[in-house]
Amino acid sequence: RDFGARVPRVLADACPLGPAGDVNGDGYADVVGGAIYFGSPVGPAATAAATRALEGCGTGVGDVDGDGFGDVMVGAEVVYGAWSGLAAEAEWRFDDVYRAVAAQDVDGDGFDDLLLAAPGFSSDGLTQRGRAQLYQGSAQGPALPPSWTRMGDAAYEWFGECVAGAG
């Protein structure tokens, strides 16, 4: 459900707001930023849900484990959705600080896949060349290792600075 301009100004905080999918399985799309705001028939709640505190800005990443709940990435951690909102602990932690984008179901297996970008990634003497990686979703969460990796060709290229979901 597209809430468009109906997102209350009260939701404004230091983190950008965006769709989180249906994190708590109630049939309504939720909104994530610095907290989760559960959806309802009239739009997102005006106050944050009493669920797991986010330690940073959250990004909805689809349903990477296929359990029917929207999942959220906070920093370099994937937190699964649950009936109560978000799980108490992160299920996945990645080594680098990433920008996350739900890449949807790229391979058609029924699980949302996870596109992660680390624009400040450095390797092979190329400072901040950047890197983007695709992790395929599965019943166990994002599959390791990534199925696709691309890096910038030059120092300070910041490859992955601008990534977006497909589909």
Side-chain angles (χ1 to χ4, degrees):
R1 180 173 178 180
D2 180 10
F3 295 120
R6 293 183 295 183
V7 175
R9 291 184 60 94
V10 129
L11 297 181
D13 59 21
C15 297
L17 295 171
D22 186 5
V23 172
N24 62 345
D26 65 358
Y28 299 101
D30 304 317
V31 175
V32 64
I36 293 288
Y37 299 88
F38 291 146
S40 74
V42 296
T47 57
T51 184
R52 180 186 192 274
L54 301 183
E55 297 170 10
C57 297
T59 302
V61 292
D63 182 9
V64 296
D65 61 346
D67 64 357
F69 298 98
D71 303 317
V72 172
M73 187 145 184
V74 181
E77 299 180 338
V78 175
V79 184
Y80 292 155
W83 287 113
S84 60
L86 290 175
E89 296 293 323
E91 293 294 327
W92 288 91
R93 287 180 175 78
F94 294 91
D95 293 334
D96 292 317
V97 176
Y98 285 92
R99 293 173 191 250
V101 175
Q104 323 245 306
D105 186 7
V106 173
D107 56 2
D109 66 356
F111 297 96
D112 287 334
D113 303 313
L114 188 61
L115 177 63
L116 300 180
F121 175 79
S122 300
S123 70
D124 301 325
L126 299 175
T127 303
Q128 299 176 349
R129 69 188 298 186
R131 175 176 69 189
Q133 297 179 300
L134 181 71
Y135 293 84
Q136 293 176 315
S138 74
Q140 293 77 41
L144 300 172
S147 63
W148 179 87
T149 299
R150 294 294 177 269
M151 291 181 267
D153 296 323
Y156 303 103
E157 186 173 329
W158 284 77
F159 184 83
E161 175 67 17
C162 297
V163 292

